[in-house]
Structure formats: C-alpha cells, structure tokens
Amino acid sequence: MTAIGIYQILFFFLIILALTKPVGMFMARVFQGERTFLHPILRPMERLIYRLSGVREDVEQHWTQYAGAVLAISIAKFAFTYLIQRLQGFLPLNPQGFSTAAAAQGATPMTPDLAFNTAVSFMTNTNWQSYVGETTMSYFVQMAALTVQNFTSAAAGIAIAIALVRGFARHEVKTIGNFWVDFTRATVYVLLPLAFVAALIFASQGVVQNWDAYTQATTVEGATQTIAQGPVASQEAIKQLGTNGGGFFNANSAHPFENPTPLSTTLQILLIFVLPAALTYTFGSMVKDTRQGWSLFAAMSIMFFIGVFTAYWSEQRGNPILAQQGIETAVTATQPGGNMEGKEVRFGIAQSALFATVTTDASCGAVNTMHDSFTPLGGLVPLFNMQTGEVIFGGVGAGLYGILLYAILAVFIAGLMVGRTPEYLGKKIEQKEVKMAMLALIACAFSILVFTAISTVLQFPKDSYWNPQGPAIGNLNNAGPHGFAEILYAYTSGTANNGSAFAGISANTPWYNLTIGLAMLIGRFLFLLPLLAVAGSLAAKKQIPVTSGTLPTHGGLFVGLLVGTVLIVGALTFFPALSLGPIVEHFLMRQGRLFSLAIPSLMDLPWLS
Amino acid sequence: MWSQIAPAFRITLVMTILTGLIYPAVVTGIAQMVFPNQARGSLVTVDGKVVGSELIGQNFSKPEYFHPRPSAAGAGYDGALSSGSNYGPTNQKLSDRVKASVEQYRQENPDYTGPIPADAVTTSASGLDPHITPANADVQVSRVAKARGGDAAAVRQLVDRSTDRPWLGFIGEARVNVLRLNLALDRDLPRK
C-alpha cells in the first residue's frame, strides 16, 4: 500500500462523511412531508404523478397494504421490462437492429430466459449482467426498460427503509406510511435531481450520450474498429446513485465510455455511498436521536475500512506466480505495480480496490475492475461483503433495513447474555421480531449455499436445452478453487441483489438464468417482507421508558456489538464455503500452483484430483 | 395486493415516460449542446476520416508505434465487445499467456532488461484500455525512436505531452494515451 493510495481512500471517506448530515436531513424532510428548497420546482411534478397514477396522497397504509404495494409494483416492473426487451425488434431507437433480421452476426439473441433473468434482475435492484449490453440491447431497452428500473427499484428500496424507520419512530399506530407517496417522493426529490446533475458531469468527462449507430473507424494501422455508442451518461448516473450497477456495456464501469477518468470514477463511488450513508442520518433524525444514526454509521465505517484495506493490501501485493516471470509488482514512480490483470491503467490498484469494496459494501455491483481476476483475498472481500447482506452502507434503503435487522439481532444476543428482554429505541424486541429477522437471514444463506452446492454437482447432457455446456461446472472460465468461487460468487451476488460477478462464468444459459433469477427473488422478497412485518409490529408497540437497565444503542459498546454480530453471523454461515474457494486458493497461489480446465465429470472434479 | 395492481401499472407507465424517455432525452439534448465532442464518443479524425476514439484503445503492432496493453475484448480491442480475460490468479492460461507476452515484449524491446511493467503483459478490465503506464512507455521509447530514425529525446518529449496526470495530483494514476501519442508521432516525427 502507498501513502497516495491511502489518501485516495481517506479523501473519498471524508466527502461521504461531510455529505451524510445535509443529505440525510434533506431526506428526513422529504419523507416527513415537509417543504424543501426543491418544492417550488418539483412539487407540481409530484402532484401530477399522483393524479396520473390515481394515488391518494393523504391515505396511510397498514404494513400488509404497504407490502402489497411493493409486490404489485414489482409485478408491473417485471412485466414492463420483460415485454420491452422481447419486443425490442419492433420498437424504435434500435440502430444496430437487435432482434431483427438486420442484426450483426455477433449479436446475442434476446431469449425468453435472458429476458426473464434481466427483468427479475432489474426489478430486484440486482442488475446482474447475463446480457452483453452492446451486442444485445437496443437504446430503447436501455432507456425505457433498464434506466427506468434503475430509478424505480432504488425508490422502492428507499421507501421500504423509510417504512421500517417509521416502525421505530411511531407508537401504538397501525400504519407505516403510504408506499406510493414514499416511492414518488424518493424519485422526484432525491433520485432525479441528483442523477440529472451527475449525468451532465459524466458527459463532461467523456461518457457518451447519443442515439447514433455504432461508429465505424479505420484505425491508424488500417484495421476496422466498430465503436459502440449509446445514451450512457443518463443511465450511468442512476446506475450508481440507485446502487443498481447494471452496465450499459459488458465491461460495466471499466469501459472507458462509462467511466473515462479518475474524476468520473470518484464521482461514481460517491454516488454509490451518498444515499445509503445519508439514510443513517435520516433514520436518526426520524427517531429523534441522531446519535442512533451515527452509531450505525460508525459500525458501517469500521467494516468499510477493514474491507477496503484488506482488498487494497492484497491487490497491491500482487500475484507471485506472475512476479516470477520477471514482472514488476512493486510500486515505482511511473507505474502502480500490483495485480494489474483485469484492471485499467487510469485507475491503478487503489481506485480499483476501493471501487470493488464500495460496490459490494453497497448492493451496487458496478465494477471498474474484473473481480474474477482479483487475488484470492482481494476477491474474498467483495464475496464476504455480499454474504453479510450488504450492510456496510449497503444498497439505497436496503442497507439501512439490513443493518437494522442486525441491530435487532445484536440487542437480542446482548439481552440473552444478561437475561433481560431486549429493547431497541424504546421498543421491546420480542419473539416475532427475532423470528422475522432470522427468517430473512436464513433464507439468504439457504439460497446462496444450496444453489451453489447444486450447481457444483449437477449434470446435464451436452447440448441440452438447460445448459448446452453440459454439466453446470462446464460454464466456468477457471478451474480449481477459483472455479468454485465463480459459482459461489454468482449465487451470492444474485441473492444479495448485488449484480457484480466473477464474470468468467458463462451464465447466459437457461439453468443459470433461471436459478440466479430465483436467488434474486428470494434475496429481495424473503428479506424485505419479513422486515415490513417487523415494521408493522414495531409501530403498534408502546414506547417503554429508558431505565438504568437499558442497553444504550449508541456509543462504542453497541457499535462493537453490532460489528461483532455482522461479522460472526457471516463467518459462521459462510466460512466452510469460503475456505473451499478463496481461502484455499490463497495458499495454493502462494505455493505457485496452477489449474487447467479439464473436461469435467462428476467423478473428476478438478479440485478433488 | 390486488387493489394495488392498478396504481402499480399506472405509476410504472408514468415513471417510464418520466425517467425512461424525458430524462434521457433532456440529458442528451444538453450534453450534445454543451459537450458535443464528448457526447459523441471523443472521436478522433485525421484528414476527415474517423480513426478511432481517444477513449477507446486500438491495436498497434508496428515497431514505429507505441503498443497498447494486450486486450481480451473480442479478437483484441473490439470496440463493440468489451471484456476482460476473467482469468483468476491460479489459472494456467493466465500464466501461459503472460509468459508469451513477456517473451514478445522482450523481443520487441531488446534494449530493456529490467522487470517488465505489469500493465504491459496483462489485459485490462474492459479490453479497451486507451492508456499505458509511463513506465511502459519509457521502455518502448528507444524502439520507437530507432524505427523512426529520430532521437529518443524528441520521442520522450511527445510521451510527456500525451501523459495525463492524476486528478488533483493524487486521484487515479498517471497514464499515457496511446492513440494520442502515436498520432502526435506521425505528425511531429514522421518516419524518415
């Protein structure tokens, strides 16, 4: 690690720290229906949306109605995205003629299973890329389907988090707000204005924004180069701000047209963290005790620093197997050294490791570097970030409701240790809350581990419909423990609604499209529905007064307890799987072991031989 | 839930128009007006013909040009199929490919015997990296100067002019834009 690399990380963190209070306060005002400086301009738009959608602003919802609205809009979002993708051949803004007879030879067909996977993926805020944007999707799909999903899945996430916060803030009431109102306000006052400004900054840096056909260039040495174009800047902004992460292009934020400069990459990671970080303040403000919000912020920050410095250290240390071949892996004044496979020169090691950590701390999943080519311990950080439920700032809304779930568990565990009924923010945490929290955690762990286990051993005949590559491990790009990690990463990313990948795995087959799609549905809905139930149950409870026996949920003790809970629950659940993947790979790499892809069969798994 | 279906479809339609059509259209309009060059892909033209984009790497193999990094995009620098190699650190293919690249790099730059800058033999994340590190450019200076029959100092000066510094002096890395550099060479130091 270098001093300059560490300064880059600290610089980023200090900006987030500075933005947390003003943005958090702004959101608290928006969601409590107070006027802000944007109301004179945007209030008419908000009212127009209610009128056109037939929503009554003044009606509050019981948690079951709120959850019903979340499910209903998810169905609508899925239907829109699926249909627009499948019909792209008949729709405008398709200069490359995808899904028509005019499509180029290398174009990928928009099959039903791919459209299903992408629709689920964008509806659940996962944005996993089974698709290769530049060879599959028309500009119309990118805008009217994907950009829209980026906005709406983020807005839904914020709405759910706000509903849960109301559960803590309110006493003895049956309602937790109105989903349509929270959803609309998140879009109109928070996401749209910020995305608009960010999109223009991206455009100034060189992110493309046009509807032109792909450019045909004749290179200096006389070859032909086709350069993909598109309305990228507008999507890039909300892709980061909404912690969505689905790339316009296959290479996502590593593509120079998505992320051309160090400035643009800094803005991208700021956009990823700004709302999740600010929501901790919104939470503190709404429960009328900002120390509570800052405690969550502190716990998240500690875990952020552990992760980012582990990843940075490991990537800077590089790959000893390559170092042996006479390659410079130490930093010099004119090159960054380290593990440069799958990294861009303009980002070097520090900004790549920082981006990889941030994108998986949050449920973003955008990448400016290829995680598949990370060193084992460098790749372990993104994996573990996702497996702990992305609560280190986390997805917009999802991070806050995720960490509140862990807070409930933390006070429960503390309560068990001292033999008192646990309380959080003046609410008794009882059987129902703990059951719901555990349901959410177990559903996610189940989805990750069971799907991974099945794909590791499942056999298909060669050229079968479900998986033309044959056995499900035939889709891997790497052998040995790294191949296993590719599968584990895929289901982890799907379940955690992240969307980044160890991208070597060829996941665009019906088997993977379907099962990863299911993992995304489990990870989204079996997480948020239990939480909405908790919100409803909490809102109905009486507030109990603070006594000398109450565990204070601000300050160092609670922060330590919360960090401990997240790390221990994560480690207990996933250590066995991780030790078969990145952990054993780390030791084998240090020994110089290499792995080749054999033709796999059940009795000849490459990592058993 | 069923009572919520109607507003769900209506609000999704409204949002599709607002965030899927109006928002990108407004951004496109403003971007094309204020940043016309960037919004259209930072294209570089020589004699009225598009030779590429300043932001998208392209292949160079002749000795009188600086060479970019190896690329995993399609058959190499395929601007319509961005991709990294996605080789893990213990992949035999990674080791073999790097070995071949090292041999080729040594052959192309026989005057240099030190350790090879990592970027010169590794593929980038996008396969379209337009940059190389200053260290990598340094190694190639003597080959390019020889091939052009010019002196190394003049080439080095052009390298400096094509080098972008980190933002604010410490964010990101110093980097040499290969296309910009090679076009500058053709302009200022044509082959003798």
Side-chain angles (χ1 to χ4, degrees):
Chain A
M1 294 195 281
T2 65
I4 285 193
I6 293 168
Y7 293 152
Q8 294 186 47
I9 292 165
L10 294 179
F11 173 76
F12 161 74
F13 182 77
L14 287 177
I15 299 180
I16 288 296
L17 183 64
L19 289 173
T20 294
K21 186 174 171 184
V23 179
M25 206 144 60
F26 173 78
M27 283 197 282
R29 293 183 68 90
V30 165
F31 292 108
Q32 294 177 110
E34 295 165 31
R35 276 185 80 80
T36 66
F37 69 99
L38 288 176
H39 272 68
I41 316 163
L42 297 176
R43 176 69 183 157
M45 192 199 287
E46 186 195 349
R47 296 177 61 136
L48 181 67
I49 293 173
Y50 296 144
R51 219 181 38 238
L52 293 174
S53 318
V55 168
R56 280 195 49 198
E57 196 181 353
D58 51 352
V59 181
E60 289 237 331
Q61 294 171 322
H62 186 257
W63 84 264
T64 50
Q65 291 167 313
Y66 203 99
V70 173
L71 290 178
I73 198 163
S74 302
I75 292 171
K77 280 152 58 63
F78 174 84
F80 269 72
T81 317
Y82 184 85
L83 285 177
I84 291 174
Q85 287 181 90
R86 294 283 288 156
L87 296 176
Q88 69 168 345
F90 305 100
L91 292 167
L93 292 178
N94 187 8
Q96 299 312 113
F98 293 129
S99 300
T100 69
Q105 234 174 17
T108 323
M110 180 58 77
T111 53
D113 59 288
L114 179 59
F116 163 82
N117 181 287
T118 309
V120 169
S121 163
F122 276 75
M123 176 252 276
T124 55
N125 197 277
T126 307
N127 314 74
W128 165 264
Q129 284 178 253
S130 255
Y131 63 92
V132 174
E134 61 263 50
T135 64
T136 318
M137 281 171 178
S138 74
Y139 297 158
F140 190 84
V141 171
Q142 296 269 15
M143 286 164 38
L146 304 193
T147 303
V148 175
Q149 297 309 313
N150 280 336
F151 274 100
T152 51
S153 67
I158 297 177
I160 293 157
I162 295 293
L164 181 61
V165 174
R166 288 200 190 101
F168 284 109
R170 294 178 171 183
H171 321 293
E172 297 168 74
V173 293
K174 290 206 161 58
T175 59
I176 54 172
N178 181 320
F179 174 77
W180 305 114
V181 173
D182 292 338
F183 171 85
T184 305
R185 287 183 181 158
T187 309
V188 171
Y189 295 105
V190 183
L191 298 173
L192 255 182
L194 275 170
F196 179 71
V197 174
L200 293 179
I201 300 176
F202 284 135
S204 80
Q205 293 298 299
V207 179
V208 293
Q209 180 73 23
N210 61 56
W211 295 322
D212 303 343
Y214 293 1
T215 303
Q216 295 294 335
T218 306
T219 68
V220 177
E221 289 198 346
T224 308
Q225 188 182 36
T226 305
I227 298 174
Q229 300 276 5
V232 181
S234 53
Q235 187 169 334
E236 199 62 30
I238 188 60
K239 160 189 143 191
Q240 310 294 0
L241 183 65
T243 62
N244 294 283
F248 197 98
F249 300 115
N250 187 42
N252 205 298
S253 282
H255 195 294
F257 277 170
E258 286 202 28
N259 191 3
T261 62
L263 188 160
S264 67
T265 216
T266 304
L267 180 60
Q268 296 201 353
I269 47 181
L270 287 172
L271 288 174
I272 296 173
F273 262 13
V274 62
L275 295 182
L279 276 169
T280 61
Y281 190 89
T282 308
F283 161 72
S285 168
M286 284 175 72
V287 300
K288 309 250 174 325
D289 182 359
T290 49
R291 292 174 308 179
Q292 303 290 345
W294 286 118
S295 301
L296 299 185
F297 185 94
M300 292 168 164
S301 303
I302 292 169
M303 292 186 282
F304 163 70
F305 280 116
I306 296 173
V308 73
F309 283 117
T310 307
Y312 179 30
W313 166 79
S314 181
E315 289 310 294
Q316 189 67 66
R317 208 170 166 212
N319 181 348
I321 298 171
L322 299 190
Q324 273 171 9
Q325 304 194 1
I327 293 165
E328 185 65 84
T329 50
V331 192
T332 65
T334 49
Q335 57 88 38
N339 172 25
M340 281 300 285
E341 180 69 18
K343 292 192 181 60
E344 302 278 305
V345 166
R346 60 194 180 282
F347 306 137
I349 304 295
Q351 277 206 324
S352 299
L354 175 61
F355 200 113
T357 310
V358 167
T359 196
T360 50
D361 280 344
S363 78
C364 184
V367 295
N368 79 348
T369 167
M370 288 302 136
H371 295 186
D372 211 351
S373 297
F374 265 36
T375 56
L377 296 184
L380 175 70
V381 170
L383 252 178
F384 193 66
N385 280 341
M386 293 186 289
Q387 289 170 340
T388 50
E390 292 162 341
V391 293
I392 308 173
F393 300 103
V396 282
L400 182 65
Y401 62 69
I403 196 83
L404 287 172
L405 175 148
Y406 277 107
I408 289 172
L409 285 185
V411 294
F412 172 67
I413 292 169
L416 286 182
M417 287 193 283
V418 295
R420 277 184 59 98
T421 308
E423 302 158 15
Y424 189 50
L425 304 168
K427 297 290 176 79
K428 273 202 173 115
I429 301 299
E430 291 167 299
Q431 201 186 27
K432 178 168 182 196
E433 287 78 34
V434 176
K435 268 189 183 163
M436 288 295 154
M438 284 316 295
L439 173 63
L441 282 185
I442 290 173
C444 291
F446 178 88
S447 166
I448 293 171
L449 295 173
V450 173
F451 279 127
T452 302
I454 293 174
S455 285
T456 308
V457 295
L458 194 65
Q459 297 281 352
F460 292 101
K462 191 117 183 103
D463 299 319
S464 60
Y465 168 76
W466 286 102
N467 205 49
Q469 284 89 336
I473 55 171
N475 304 38
L476 302 179
N477 192 40
N478 290 282
H482 199 82
F484 174 72
E486 280 184 344
I487 301 179
L488 180 64
Y489 199 106
Y491 289 108
T492 301
S493 176
T495 306
N497 293 164
N498 184 277
S500 68
F502 273 9
I505 187 168
S506 312
N508 186 12
T509 67
W511 166 253
Y512 280 106
N513 278 335
L514 186 73
T515 50
I516 295 172
L518 284 175
M520 296 187 235
L521 290 172
I522 293 172
R524 178 81 166 177
F525 294 105
L526 284 184
F527 204 87
L528 66 84
L529 293 179
L531 277 170
L532 284 173
V534 170
S537 145
L538 288 172
K541 288 188 191 215
K542 279 198 291 228
Q543 186 169 37
I544 47 175
V546 175
T547 65
S548 60
T550 308
L551 169 75
T553 51
H554 52 82
L557 178 65
F558 177 71
V559 170
L561 191 64
L562 184 55
V563 171
T565 306
V566 173
L567 296 183
I568 291 167
V569 169
L572 286 177
T573 315
F574 294 105
F575 181 75
L578 290 171
S579 57
L580 289 175
I583 295 176
V584 72
E585 189 193 7
H586 169 73
F587 293 108
L588 293 171
M589 178 188 79
R590 309 286 328 162
Q591 285 175 8
R593 272 285 294 277
L594 290 168
F595 293 87
S596 303
L597 274 175
I599 304 298
S601 80
L602 190 58
M603 300 319 294
D604 182 33
L605 297 179
W607 52 87
L608 292 179
S609 61
Chain B
M1 182 176 109
W2 304 115
S3 61
Q4 310 278 354
I5 282 281
F9 274 84
R10 283 168 71 174
I11 208 164
T12 304
L13 183 63
V14 172
M15 288 297 176
T16 301
I17 294 165
L18 176 65
T19 63
L21 300 175
I22 297 175
Y23 158 74
V26 171
V27 173
T28 306
I30 298 177
Q32 297 258 348
M33 217 153 45
V34 186
F35 313 108
N37 177 44
Q38 291 96 315
R40 291 181 167 270
S42 308
L43 299 176
V44 181
T45 49
V46 173
D47 304 330
K49 286 200 192 101
V50 176
V51 296
S53 160
E54 189 178 327
L55 294 176
I56 302 291
Q58 58 178 255
N59 210 15
F60 285 96
S61 53
K62 295 183 181 162
E64 68 265 31
Y65 288 121
F66 281 85
H67 297 173
R69 306 174 63 186
S71 162
Y77 288 100
D78 184 339
L81 192 57
S82 57
S83 177
S85 72
N86 286 312
Y87 289 155
T90 54
N91 193 327
Q92 180 77 47
K93 281 194 213 153
L94 172 67
S95 176
D96 294 348
R97 195 205 70 213
V98 167
K99 200 168 161 208
S101 297
V102 165
E103 266 167 34
Q104 193 190 345
Y105 194 78
R106 294 253 183 239
Q107 231 165 44
E108 288 170 358
N109 305 289
D111 299 349
Y112 180 76
T113 51
I116 294 176
D119 68 293
V121 292
T122 50
T123 60
S124 64
S126 63
L128 301 173
D129 197 339
H131 299 114
I132 55 177
T133 60
N136 183 356
D138 261 357
V139 174
Q140 300 188 43
V141 162
S142 83
R143 180 196 77 228
V144 172
K146 263 186 209 161
R148 287 182 179 264
D151 77 317
V155 175
R156 196 158 281 134
Q157 211 171 33
L158 289 180
V159 171
D160 277 347
R161 289 221 313 254
S162 306
T163 304
D164 292 319
R165 305 281 158 205
W167 178 51
L168 304 178
F170 72 107
I171 306 276
E173 303 289 328
R175 56 208 185 272
V176 181
N177 188 300
V178 178
L179 178 60
R180 217 161 74 202
L181 172 57
N182 285 335
L183 288 175
L185 280 170
D186 276 352
R187 203 172 46 234
D188 298 351
L189 292 172
R191 250 184 114 173
K192 282 175 193 158

